[in-house]
Amino acid sequence: MNPENENAHIIDNKHFSYLLIRDYLLGNILGEHTDEILYWAGKDLARQFPLKSQEDLYEAMIYCGFGQLELLKKEKNAQQYRLESDLVTVRTQNEQVSFQLEAGFLAQQIQMTTGLPCEAKAEIIVGKDKKKEVLITLFIE
């Protein structure tokens, strides 16, 4: 299947079914509230599947299909992570993509393992090599 439209490049991707639901269908259904709803859905998923320790977080993110986390910065009240995978790279090609589900999941898992209130924000930036990157910043109280 190879229709002639602006999204034809994702149809032959091995992640097509995930991309179709996550980045196209959900965005259409949730509309302007996509980011907020996905963030709180991520927090809810974390409560349904709590981790025993913060060390399990890296493996859990991969296992959930969210991507591989890399800790970039750790300060007293903030942490910054890069989220990477083949799927993340493909997803960042869509201008309407949201990584707030991952941010909510990460924030809630950190909150539950540390006992400290935590919120997060995901953003897509253009890195030094002009490649889009997903950064998730945690704010810990």
Side-chain angles (χ1 to χ4, degrees), residues 61-80:
M61 292 292 284
I62 293 169
Y63 196 74
C64 290
F66 294 150
Q68 182 175 344
L69 278 180
E70 176 187 358
L71 179 63
L72 300 176
K73 252 193 284 190
K74 186 171 185 171
E75 299 171 355
K76 182 181 178 188
N77 296 332
Q79 297 174 10
Q80 187 173 59

Side-chain angles (χ1 to χ4, degrees), residues 22-115:
R22 177 73 193 278
D23 295 332
Y24 293 89
L25 179 63
L26 278 179
N28 288 339
I29 292 170
L30 301 176
E32 66 184 59
H33 302 291
T34 298
D35 284 342
E36 296 87 357
I37 293 170
L38 289 178
Y39 180 79
W40 291 106
K43 284 186 152 264
D44 185 60
L45 285 174
R47 286 189 289 273
Q48 291 180 55
F49 298 95
L51 301 175
K52 292 180 182 178
S53 72
Q54 196 170 343
E55 290 77 33
D56 295 335
L57 185 58
Y58 294 94
E59 188 176 338
M61 292 292 284
I62 293 169
Y63 196 74
C64 290
F66 294 150
Q68 182 175 344
L69 278 180
E70 176 187 358
L71 179 63
L72 300 176
K73 252 193 284 190
K74 186 171 185 171
E75 299 171 355
K76 182 181 178 188
N77 296 332
Q79 297 174 10
Q80 187 173 59
Y81 295 88
R82 178 183 297 125
L83 185 65
E84 297 178 301
S85 74
D86 292 340
L87 179 57
V88 169
T89 300
V90 172
R91 290 186 65 213
T92 59
Q93 295 174 11
N94 177 356
E95 295 296 320
Q96 306 302 318
V97 70
S98 173
F99 288 91
Q100 298 307 317
L101 180 76
E102 293 85 340
F105 183 84
L106 181 61
Q108 188 64 36
Q109 292 292 2
I110 296 289
Q111 181 171 323
M112 291 186 307
T113 56
T114 64

Side-chain angles (χ1 to χ4, degrees), residues 7-27:
N7 298 320
H9 67 282
I10 69 162
I11 291 172
D12 294 328
N13 188 287
K14 66 181 178 183
H15 304 291
F16 178 64
S17 59
Y18 182 86
L19 296 166
L20 188 66
I21 293 169
R22 177 73 193 278
D23 295 332
Y24 293 89
L25 179 63
L26 278 179

